[in-house]
Amino acid sequence: MAKVGDQFSPGDVVPLSGIYKCSSCGSRSSFSTDVKGKTFPPSHHPGAKWELVEITPHR
Ligand SMILES: [Zn+2]
């Protein structure tokens, strides 16, 4: 199970709906798992990862 602080690469399947930040500049984006198999978009900064900062509870 993914947890806050875990980092993911572009192209990885989004494990949990939540807020993720660029590991380079800290810019935040919200990604959801509404679409099964949805993957992370290209990195916000070259070589950066997407880091989980807040998990969005399922409705
Ligand atoms: Zn960035």
Side-chain angles (χ1 to χ4, degrees):
M1 192 66 156
K3 60 187 185 302
V4 171
D6 282 357
Q7 294 189 335
F8 305 92
S9 299
D12 283 354
V13 173
V14 178
L16 287 173
S17 294
I19 297 169
Y20 294 78
K21 71 175 182 181
C22 170
S23 66
S24 179
C25 74
S27 177
R28 294 180 174 206
S29 294
S30 179
F31 299 126
S32 78
T33 55
D34 290 348
V35 178
K36 190 175 172 64
K38 183 178 174 64
T39 56
F40 287 98
S43 54
H44 182 254
H45 268 78
K49 305 260 191 185
W50 291 109
E51 183 179 320
L52 180 58
V53 293
E54 189 178 325
I55 296 166
T56 305
H58 281 281
R59 289 152 295 189

